């Protein structure tokens, strides 16, 4: 139980940092990339601790799988509330770019900030584990140099897992993105928790390139290229497919709708009207 109390204090500190960043930067639109950096940091730092609870807490701290799933849901829900429109997810940032809602430079800065935030989160978590505040963290600190990879299947299988999960997630997110935050944030948190739990024996369904970079790229077992195929190319492919299926085209690439026809509301009368026929007779 002491391990869970230490984790709770850790979560509160990380979330407080995220809220403070949002309050300080929300009136400075030119610094939105810093909001993405903070959102990515909060998400990666919290999920690194959730990963510790899942890997070590179940046998070192007596925490069951139901507790781990509940903690994951609460973390995802809190992240959505605390960080607002900043997702900390490069695929969601690219959706805004591909739908012409964002220009190239802010998109590039946001993605760079997300990866930097995930990297800083990993460094912060390593320092926190090094303090060895509990038995759980002491064991995690000993395991840090030889952590267990989240990719537990072949590269091809992992690619399709991340692709399908990202396809489902982005279809739901596109459908919900203009709804009230009171509805959108809990539903997205439930969906992410479900996908992560369902794919825990495959890839953990990160669907977030920067998050995967912070959580599993440093673990042995696969090369950087293999990790990139699964955790970068997979979610990007799923996101592109979802955008194409939802809209019918990708606005940044081509404007013609290839799937859905847009019928005009009013029919244009065929042939000449009676007035036009009378004018021709007079002439």
């Amino acid at each position: 139980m002491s391990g869970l109390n230490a984790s709770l204090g850790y979560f509160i500190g990380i979330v407080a940092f995220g809220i403070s960043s949002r309050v300080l930067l929300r009136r400075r639109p030119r610094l939105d990339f810093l909001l993405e950096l903070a959102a990515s940091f909060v998400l990666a730092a919290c999920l690194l601790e959730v990963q510790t609870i899942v890997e070590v807490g179940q046998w070192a701290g007596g925490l069951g799988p139901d507790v781990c799933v509940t903690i994951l849901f609460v973390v995802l829900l809190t992240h959505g509330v605390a960080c607002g429109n900043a997702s900390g997810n490069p695929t969601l940032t690219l959706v805004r770019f591909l739908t012409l809602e964002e220009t190239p430079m802010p998109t590039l800065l946001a993605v760079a900030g997300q990866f930097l935030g995930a990297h800083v989160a990993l460094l912060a978590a390593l320092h926190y584990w090094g303090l060895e505040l509990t038995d759980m963290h002491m064991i995690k600190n000993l395991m840090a140099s030889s952590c267990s990879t989240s990719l537990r299947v072949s590269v091809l299988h992992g690619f399709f897992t991340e692709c399908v999960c990202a396809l489902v997630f982005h279809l739901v997110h596109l459908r919900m993105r203009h709804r009230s935050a009171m509805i959108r944030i809990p539903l997205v948190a439930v969906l992410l928790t479900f996908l992560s739990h369902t794919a825990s024996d495959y890839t953990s369904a990160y669907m977030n390139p920067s998050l995967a970079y912070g959580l599993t790229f440093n673990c042995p077992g696969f090369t950087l290229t293999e990790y990139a195929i699964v955790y970068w190319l997979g979610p990007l492919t799923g996101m592109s497919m979802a955008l194409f299926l939802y809209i019918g085209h990708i606005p940044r690439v081509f404007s013609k709708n290839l799937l859905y026809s847009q019928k005009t509301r009013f029919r244009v009368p065929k042939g000449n009207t009676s007035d036009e026929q009378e004018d021709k007779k007079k002439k």
Side-chain angles (χ1 to χ4, degrees), residues 236-254:
L236 289 174
T237 303
M239 176 271 291
S240 302
M241 292 172 61
L243 190 59
F244 183 77
L245 290 173
Y246 186 78
I247 302 178
H249 67 123
I250 299 177
R252 180 68 65 175
V253 181
F254 45 84

Side-chain angles (χ1 to χ4, degrees), residues 125-155:
L126 289 173
H127 176 72
Y128 170 68
W129 296 332
L131 298 176
E132 299 184 354
L133 299 177
T134 65
D135 292 341
M136 180 177 68
H137 295 104
M138 179 184 67
I139 296 171
K140 181 61 179 180
N141 186 46
L142 295 173
M143 296 169 55
S145 59
S146 57
C147 56
S148 301
T149 178
S150 299
L151 182 55
R152 301 180 181 180
V153 292
S154 66
V155 173

